[in-house]
Amino acid sequence: AEYLPEITKDSVCPVDAKEELLDECESIWKQMEECQSKLMLLGTETLLKSDAKLSLLMMRVKALTAEYNQWQKRSPELISTNPDVLLALGKEELQKVKNDLEMVLSTVQSKNKQLEEDLKREQQWHEEQEQILDTLNGIEEETKTQVEQLSKKRAFHELQNKMLKLKIYKEELLNALGEFLEEHFPLPEKGGSAKKKNSSEEPAVELITLHEILEILINKSMTTPHEPYVTISDSFWPPYIELLLRYGIALRHPEDPNRIRLEAFHM
């Protein structure tokens, strides 16, 4: 619309041209009134028949058909050949086109503005959704971390419970083993002692039970598995050492017969 020239109020046709155009319009209007009168008379005649409504409709169909055919055969005619009149009419039509284009432009601009506002709202909604998604992802990661920590704690507690049960079971086995050994493998004399071979004047050495010997071997094997051998002292009663060696419970050092270790049953 901004490229169309502005039609000013001064752009009007001369008085003579305007009067000429008005005269032509009055003449055409009179012709239309005459045609309308004739049609009304024809309509009145047809209404006198018995089936007036149907006849009237048929007459209208024929009239419209004839008018349609007439308009098809007719070529457009200029209302006036006066250049001033044609110029004024052209300017008026251009002004109408300009007004229509300005209205279309205003409508399009308003629609674009509405679309821009909708786009801003959609972008804001999209950003909010992304923030919500980021928050949910953070919550999910935090929840996963908490679940992993809880799983580790649960596994640790379960391991502690298993270790406690094993410890209790170990104590029960050791107690049962101690009771069995005290009952079936007592010392030769309760509170007895063994004198050293070299001198009888030196103080006697207190003998230890088979249970205590086994505990020493077990502890040595567990605390220092790379060096599980124990030196045989005078407190070890020789028959017990022979018993352990004979039944494969203990083994001598290959280079030092005075050292023994517990057989590695757990290997």
Side-chain angles (χ1 to χ4, degrees):
E2 62 185 13
Y3 297 103
L4 295 177
E6 184 67 27
I7 307 292
T8 60
K9 294 183 179 179
D10 296 336
S11 301
V12 295
C13 59
V15 178
D16 295 338
K18 184 176 181 180
E19 290 180 354
E20 181 182 351
L21 182 60
L22 290 175
D23 292 339
E24 291 182 2
C25 290
E26 289 180 359
S27 175
I28 295 173
W29 182 254
K30 287 181 180 179
Q31 293 177 5
M32 291 178 63
E33 287 181 346
E34 291 177 358
C35 292
Q36 184 68 22
S37 299
K38 291 179 181 180
L39 290 174
M40 292 297 293
L41 291 174
L42 290 175
T44 304
E45 292 178 358
T46 54
L47 289 174
L48 298 177
K49 296 182 181 180
S50 58
D51 196 357
K53 188 173 182 180
L54 180 60
S55 299
L56 179 60
L57 292 175
M58 293 297 295
M59 180 195 67
R60 287 181 179 178
V61 170
K62 291 179 180 179
L64 291 174
T65 304
E67 184 178 0
Y68 171 75
N69 293 330
Q70 186 67 23
W71 279 107
Q72 289 291 329
K73 295 177 182 178
R74 186 175 178 181
S75 59
E77 298 178 359
L78 295 176
I79 298 177
S80 175
T81 57
N82 192 325
D84 296 332
V85 174
L86 295 176
L87 178 62
L89 291 175
K91 289 182 178 181
E92 183 179 356
E93 289 297 325
L94 288 176
Q95 185 65 41
K96 289 181 180 179
V97 173
K98 177 186 175 184
N99 294 336
D100 293 340
L101 291 176
E102 287 177 349
M103 185 178 298
V104 172
L105 178 61
S106 177
T107 304
V108 172
Q109 289 176 345
S110 176
K111 186 67 175 177
N112 288 339
K113 185 177 180 180
Q114 183 66 31
L115 290 175
E116 288 178 356
E117 293 177 356
D118 294 341
L119 179 60
K120 289 180 180 179
R121 286 196 297 268
E122 291 295 332
Q123 288 177 345
Q124 183 178 1
W125 178 84
H126 180 67
E127 291 176 357
E128 292 176 354
Q129 294 300 315
E130 286 184 344
Q131 292 177 358
I132 293 174
L133 182 60
D134 293 339
T135 303
L136 292 176
N137 289 333
I139 294 174
E140 183 181 4
E141 292 296 330
E142 184 178 356
T143 304
K144 286 182 178 179
T145 304
Q146 292 178 355
V147 170
E148 291 177 357
Q149 291 178 352
L150 290 175
S151 299
K152 291 180 180 178
K153 289 182 179 179
R154 187 180 298 109
F156 179 71
H157 289 311
E158 290 178 356
L159 184 60
Q160 281 185 331
N161 293 332
K162 289 181 180 179
M163 290 178 65
L164 181 60
K165 291 180 180 179
L166 289 175
K167 186 176 180 181
I168 295 173
Y169 183 65
K170 175 186 174 183
E171 292 178 354
E172 291 177 353
L173 287 178
L174 290 177
N175 292 332
L177 178 62
E179 293 176 358
F180 176 81
L181 293 176
E182 288 179 0
E183 181 180 356
H184 297 282
F185 298 94
L187 289 173
E189 293 181 4
K190 189 174 182 180
S193 61
K195 295 183 179 181
K196 287 189 176 182
K197 298 179 181 180
N198 297 333
S199 177
S200 60
E201 296 178 357
E202 295 181 3
V205 177
E206 186 74 22
L207 296 176
I208 61 176
T209 62
L210 181 60
H211 183 199
E212 292 173 335
I213 296 174
L214 288 174
E215 282 187 354
I216 293 172
L217 292 173
I218 292 172
N219 292 332
K220 185 65 175 177
S221 177
M222 297 300 295
T223 55
T224 57
H226 59 283
E227 185 60 34
Y229 288 95
V230 176
T231 302
I232 300 174
S233 64
D234 294 336
S235 60
F236 289 17
W237 194 37
Y240 286 161
I241 301 301
E242 294 298 329
L243 175 67
L244 295 175
L245 294 172
R246 181 177 298 178
Y247 290 100
I249 300 174
L251 297 175
R252 288 187 186 274
H253 194 281
E255 297 178 358
D256 188 358
N258 292 324
R259 299 175 65 191
I260 62 174
R261 70 173 178 86
L262 185 71
E263 175 65 44
F265 297 103
H266 59 285
M267 298 297 291

